[in-house]
Structure formats: structure tokens, C-alpha cells
Amino acid sequence: EYIADGLRPLFELFPVYNVGDGFLKLADFFFASVVLNDDSSPLDWDVSGRPICYMFVMSIPYFSILLLLECSQVGGAGGMVGRWVRRARAFASRSVLRMYGETFDNSSGELILNDGGLVLENDI
């Protein structure tokens, strides 16, 4: 319990945690308002205001990361970070292809097609 309380600020960086926390607090609010006649609002800071605020604040960096990743897929966009993301994606793609037995030309880096194992539709 003490560990969970200590890690709560870290958990609040993730929108999924905030949505779940907001839903749980709304369920508690409904119980408190019906059974205990509590007059607080569902958007109070202690009910669902805090998770909504955290989700709004964290939407800005998450949207920035999304734009960076989307722009890095376009030719030269994204600057140095975009170049790094494109290289990492190319490395991952080549690693998967090598794992499946494909080969690459060492000088140009292009894929060498191995059509020997393919069966043509006309041969079937």
C-alpha cells in the first residue's frame, strides 16, 4: 500500500490510469451522493477533477510526441530526431527481414529478392 501511494505520481503520467481512477472516483461519488446525501459535484477536485486535469496537462507532451513521430515518417522532416527515428525504424525492419532469411546488398543496402522458393499461380 505504501509503495502504491509512492508510485501514484508516476502512474498519473499515463492517461489510462487517470481514466480508471476517474471512473472509480465517480462510482464512489455516486455511492456517497445517493446513500450519504453528499452535495459535492462530480467535477470537484477530489472526485474526478484531478484525473481530468492531469489528462489535459499530459495531452500536450503526448500530442507533441505524436507529431514528432508522424513527421519523422515523411522524407526529411523531424530534423535530427526524425532522422534517428527513421534509422531506428529501418534497422528494425531489416532485422525482421534478416530473421526471416532475406539478404541485403552490402554496398547499397537494398534487399536482394530470393524468388527461388515461390510457387507461381500457374504451376498450381
Side-chain angles (χ1 to χ4, degrees):
E1 185 177 329
Y2 297 115
I3 295 173
D5 289 339
L7 291 176
R8 184 180 178 98
L10 177 69
F11 295 154
E12 289 173 342
L13 295 176
F14 300 102
V16 175
Y17 175 82
N18 288 321
V19 169
D21 190 35
F23 282 150
L24 289 174
K25 288 182 179 181
L26 279 175
D28 287 344
F29 164 76
F30 177 75
F31 174 76
S33 65
V34 169
V35 175
L36 303 176
N37 293 326
D38 189 10
D39 293 335
S40 62
S41 168
L43 296 177
D44 281 349
W45 185 257
D46 293 333
V47 181
S48 65
R50 183 177 176 157
I52 289 173
C53 181
Y54 280 141
M55 284 193 303
F56 175 73
V57 169
M58 291 308 297
S59 69
I60 297 167
Y62 279 127
F63 185 68
S64 301
I65 292 169
L66 173 72
L67 285 180
L68 177 73
L69 291 175
E70 288 291 327
C71 289
S72 70
Q73 292 180 358
V74 179
M80 185 174 68
V81 176
R83 210 172 317 131
W84 181 83
V85 171
R86 284 189 298 277
R87 286 180 185 161
R89 188 176 53 240
F91 175 76
S93 297
R94 287 179 186 216
S95 298
V96 169
L97 288 172
R98 282 190 181 116
M99 186 173 61
Y100 286 119
E102 299 295 331
T103 56
F104 292 91
D105 184 15
N106 289 335
S107 60
S108 67
E110 292 185 14
L111 178 66
I112 299 172
L113 297 176
N114 299 328
D115 292 338
L118 294 179
V119 177
L120 296 176
E121 290 180 11
N122 297 335
D123 295 340
I124 297 178

